[in-house]
Amino acid sequence: MSRSGGMRLEAKRQPLEAELIQGCLQGDRQCCKLLYEQTASVMFGICLRYASDFHEAEDILQEGYIKVFRYISQYRGDGPLEGWMRRIFINTALAYGRRHKCESPTEDPPYPDDEPLTADVLSRLETFELLELVQNLPRGYRMVFNLYVIDGYSHKEIAGLLGISEGTSKSQLARARSQLRKMLANTQQKKTYAKAF
Amino acid sequence: MRRLSDDRLDQHLRAHLQALRVQPRRHIWTLVEQRLQPRNRPIRYLWLTALFTLWHLPLANDWSVQRYSRMQLPAIRIEEAITYESVQQPAFSTLSLAKLRKNYWSEKEAEALPRRPDETGELAAIVLEKISLSTISHPLMHKTIRNEWSIADECNRRWQVGFLVQLNNNWLVDFKNVFKDDVRYQFTMGASYGLTAGYSISSRWALFGGLVHTLGAGQRFANTAVHGRAVDLQFTAKQISLSYLHVPLWMQYELRPSAVRFDRNMRLNLFTGLQYGRLLHFTMDKLKGDMKNNFVLRNNEYSLVGGVAWQLFERDGSLYTVGLRGAVSTPIFTRQMEQYYELQRARNVSLGLFAAISLNRCASRNR
């Protein structure tokens, strides 16, 4: 029952997306706006992960959508539109990162490393706290971490995308994890102190 | 206490962040929409003007008229055709009348032609009608004759003294980043007014000079590379407003009457020249600048100017002209402050629509 209902829904949604794409291809602003409204929250989530702050994420979001609307004719329809858009946003974020390379420190910021990270720390953290931690990673680490851990790219693909060697990608990922552990431990410490006082 | 494994850490972060959905701020769509619209770059206007001029050039210029005359009007001897001058004379000469009779009218028809000065307009119409009916079959030919007719009144040496008013669309173009999309401009209007004077040194070339007061040059802009694209212009925009006394000097080349294209006696002029500008005062973010201690902006500005002017008509010895005029200046900031105000090597660029009235005195006339 629910399966057939789902299929009916799917059948209804499919032409809508196609119509939106068609509308965007014809330069219909209303269709562009609808597509934006339907996908903006997901895409902004991606941008936030790759950006170092909220404003940077908004920049990437804008640039990403400009690319989507300019190059929507290149979408062949052989996969979901969201997947194609995700790739565009990731590439936009990487390009943005390359342009602003020098603005972000590449060395590890100092974090205490005295307390081991435990599983319950993670469970106590909210999504936005985790996001903030990822955003605080140095740009290079953040890119590799996002690509590998969250978006499922292989080290070979990452090396191709970022123009680095596979070895560098692996070492950057290891450093990103290590940095995250330190930052999580730091957060854990802060929370403990906050509770105590 | 068990240490958290890499896989567990990855898994946890993936679970939280992979499906992260955050609604962006509302105005982001407006900014995206704005950027989807064609950009108002000065270069586009200049290209449009250039294209428009080039499109008109072959048909507007008189070599095309001569070509048409030679190719398609063998029967009509242009030099013997009715000229504006001949029909404008209070009582047209017997020579002209003889030509008329000989070429286009029978004696009886010529007798019926108007003779009084106030009927000359009517005569011109009759002449043209006669010519077109009797000898010209191609529609272009009719216009070609009218073309010649207007040329006949050409004054090849004239003095002009006039008044000019111009509305400018201004930009402060960051020439170091001209092909980047980092600076967002807000439409900035300015105005110029002043006196011009000129002398035609040949039937086509004229030399002009002027004294023009320019207000509101500059720009309201935001550097998105500094503030981010999503930031509203309202909060981050910089505004520079400049006022200059300009002394332009330009050469003007007259393309011959463009009657073929415009179906009227309209003259098209191209001009280009140099302009010196003296900074009179400036404001930055609406704060009036101190001209005595100004070390930010250059007091002297030099520009390349150019444009197109359409001489609409001449009435009671006054020429009425409208046109497009563009200018690109040397950098406005001093060498020490070249990268000031979020810009690098910023120059004043303006494209304006002008209207001019000039008193016109003919020094010598084509006969």
Side-chain angles (χ1 to χ4, degrees):
Chain A
M1 179 79 182
S2 70
R3 190 179 159 80
S4 64
M7 280 176 73
R8 255 204 309 277
L9 238 178
E10 200 58 35
K12 268 184 190 172
R13 280 172 66 185
Q14 196 62 25
L16 184 63
E17 188 178 279
E19 275 170 21
L20 283 181
I21 295 167
Q22 195 56 40
C24 292
L25 278 169
Q26 288 164 358
D28 183 342
R29 284 290 145 79
Q30 208 53 41
C31 288
C32 293
K33 193 179 179 187
L34 271 172
L35 184 63
Y36 172 86
E37 281 168 355
Q38 283 183 12
T39 54
S41 59
V42 176
M43 299 306 147
F44 195 44
I46 297 170
C47 298
L48 281 168
R49 278 195 284 117
Y50 281 87
S52 55
D53 58 37
F54 195 80
H55 295 298
E56 201 178 294
E58 285 184 331
D59 266 13
I60 298 167
L61 186 75
Q62 268 196 75
E63 280 188 33
Y65 271 107
I66 299 292
K67 283 183 188 167
V68 166
F69 294 129
R70 284 205 181 134
Y71 302 113
I72 200 159
S73 57
Q74 290 177 17
Y75 170 62
R76 292 191 300 269
D78 46 6
L81 178 69
E82 195 184 302
W84 180 78
M85 285 177 70
R86 269 176 180 272
R87 279 200 299 280
I88 285 191
F89 277 88
I90 291 170
N91 285 333
T92 308
L94 297 181
Y96 192 94
R98 273 194 291 273
R99 278 210 307 273
H100 297 80
K101 211 183 234 172
C102 50
E103 289 168 22
S104 173
T106 47
E107 285 174 19
D108 299 2
Y111 283 105
D113 197 15
D114 48 3
E115 203 176 335
L117 182 65
T118 56
D120 64 321
V121 179
L122 271 182
S123 58
R124 287 205 302 267
L125 286 175
E126 298 286 329
T127 302
F128 281 95
E129 286 174 304
L130 290 171
L131 177 69
E132 205 181 325
L133 294 180
V134 172
Q135 285 185 333
N136 283 336
L137 284 172
R139 198 178 290 276
Y141 298 179
R142 186 169 65 242
M143 297 298 168
V144 175
F145 182 82
N146 269 308
L147 286 168
Y148 186 86
V149 175
I150 318 285
D151 292 313
Y153 283 77
S154 68
H155 282 298
K156 197 177 176 184
E157 288 170 319
I158 295 169
L161 280 169
L162 297 178
I164 53 174
S165 69
E166 276 185 62
T168 311
S169 171
K170 283 175 188 169
S171 72
Q172 295 240 6
L173 178 66
R175 286 180 191 181
R177 280 186 183 131
S178 151
Q179 187 106 34
L180 270 172
R181 283 174 185 285
K182 289 176 189 175
M183 288 194 283
L184 280 162
N186 195 35
T187 317
Q188 182 181 9
Q189 223 171 28
K190 276 182 191 167
K191 285 202 166 185
T192 317
Y193 288 142
K195 267 187 185 172
F197 294 102
Chain B
M1 200 180 284
R2 201 163 56 84
R3 197 177 186 277
L4 191 71
S5 70
D6 282 350
D7 282 348
R8 187 82 191 279
L9 176 70
D10 290 357
Q11 216 173 20
H12 191 84
L13 286 165
R14 199 180 299 127
H16 274 84
L17 299 179
Q18 201 171 38
L20 178 68
R21 282 170 174 259
V22 182
Q23 199 60 43
R25 288 191 290 173
R26 280 188 129 189
H27 71 279
I28 300 289
W29 167 249
T30 317
L31 295 170
V32 171
E33 201 176 22
Q34 274 172 9
R35 287 185 62 201
L36 284 173
Q37 279 159 3
R39 282 170 291 175
N40 289 336
R41 286 259 177 98
I43 200 88
R44 295 195 178 209
Y45 289 103
L46 295 178
W47 274 114
L48 278 176
T49 311
L51 276 174
F52 183 74
T53 309
L54 282 174
W55 182 60
H56 280 98
L57 195 63
L59 286 172
N61 205 3
D62 79 335
W63 58 259
S64 59
V65 172
Q66 284 165 5
R67 185 162 57 88
Y68 280 120
S69 307
R70 275 199 297 273
M71 285 168 61
Q72 294 164 345
L73 273 178
I76 296 178
R77 284 163 294 174
I78 295 296
E79 65 274 16
E80 284 189 3
I82 311 306
T83 66
Y84 181 72
E85 210 164 277
S86 67
V87 294
Q88 275 288 24
Q89 283 169 2
F92 49 83
S93 67
T94 47
L95 183 68
S96 298
L97 190 61
K99 279 182 184 172
L100 284 176
R101 283 204 190 102
K102 187 178 162 191
N103 291 319
Y104 307 110
W105 280 279
S106 65
E107 269 188 43
K108 201 175 176 185
E109 277 176 312
E111 282 298 316
L113 290 173
R115 287 164 187 271
R116 293 195 310 279
D118 55 343
E119 289 172 317
T120 50
E122 198 185 328
L123 171 62
I126 294 168
V127 167
L128 290 168
E129 191 186 5
K130 186 71 186 172
I131 291 168
S132 61
L133 285 175
S134 62
T135 55
I136 303 163
S137 54
H138 195 285
L140 267 177
M141 295 309 105
H142 179 61
K143 291 170 182 174
T144 310
I145 293 299
R146 289 173 69 182
N147 232 356
E148 293 299 325
W149 176 57
S150 67
I151 290 169
D153 186 37
E154 186 181 1
C155 179
N156 61 1
R157 294 277 195 283
R158 55 171 107 207
W159 283 100
Q160 284 181 34
V161 181
F163 182 73
L164 169 143
V165 184
Q166 183 171 327
L167 281 177
N168 297 315
N169 189 0
N170 297 315
W171 296 270
L172 267 185
V173 178
D174 191 345
F175 267 69
K176 239 181 179 171
N177 298 310
V178 74
F179 295 111
K180 288 186 184 171
D181 203 12
D182 286 344
V183 180
R184 260 175 57 208
Y185 297 113
Q186 200 172 61
F187 182 67
T188 311
M189 283 290 288
S192 302
Y193 64 91
L195 296 170
T196 61
Y199 180 69
S200 55
I201 50 176
S202 74
S203 61
R204 286 185 177 240
W205 290 95
L207 185 66
F208 279 82
L211 194 65
V212 179
H213 185 202
T214 301
L215 299 157
Q219 177 85 62
R220 187 155 189 259
F221 66 94
N223 194 327
T224 52
V226 178
H227 298 288
R229 292 188 188 287
V231 181
D232 204 305
L233 258 182
Q234 198 184 342
F235 305 113
T236 55
K238 302 277 176 196
Q239 186 168 14
I240 300 178
S241 182
L242 308 158
S243 166
Y244 286 97
L245 183 68
H246 280 134
V247 182
L249 195 67
W250 71 93
M251 288 293 291
Q252 183 169 289
Y253 178 77
E254 186 188 288
L255 297 172
R256 279 292 143 80
S258 48
V260 172
R261 177 67 60 190
F262 292 111
D263 196 24
R264 57 178 299 179
N265 298 322
M266 197 185 216
R267 296 181 185 196
L268 186 68
N269 298 302
L270 297 181
F271 61 88
T272 183
L274 295 169
Q275 178 174 271
Y276 165 75
R278 178 77 187 171
L279 185 66
L280 296 179
H281 50 255
F282 67 95
T283 59
M284 285 191 168
D285 293 336
K286 293 183 181 171
L287 289 172
K288 196 174 175 192
D290 180 5
M291 281 302 293
K292 280 180 187 163
N293 300 310
N294 168 28
F295 58 93
V296 176
L297 292 158
R298 294 183 196 215
N299 288 322
N300 299 316
E301 179 211 59
Y302 300 91
S303 312
L304 191 65
V305 293
V308 196
W310 287 272
Q311 204 173 293
L312 291 178
F313 54 87
E314 188 175 349
R315 189 170 292 161
D316 302 330
S318 299
L319 279 175
Y320 293 79
T321 310
V322 292
L324 281 170
R325 183 176 180 272
V328 183
S329 80
T330 47
I332 62 160
F333 293 119
T334 53
R335 207 174 282 277
Q336 299 82 1
M337 305 297 285
E338 210 157 55
Q339 298 191 8
Y340 189 68
Y341 232 56
E342 300 173 8
L343 292 170
Q344 296 174 33
R345 295 187 68 80
R347 293 165 192 252
N348 274 319
V349 175
S350 69
L351 187 67
L353 190 68
F354 72 85
I357 305 172
S358 46
L359 290 171
N360 168 31
R361 172 160 290 191
C362 189
S364 84
R365 196 179 279 273
N366 260 0
R367 284 180 191 276

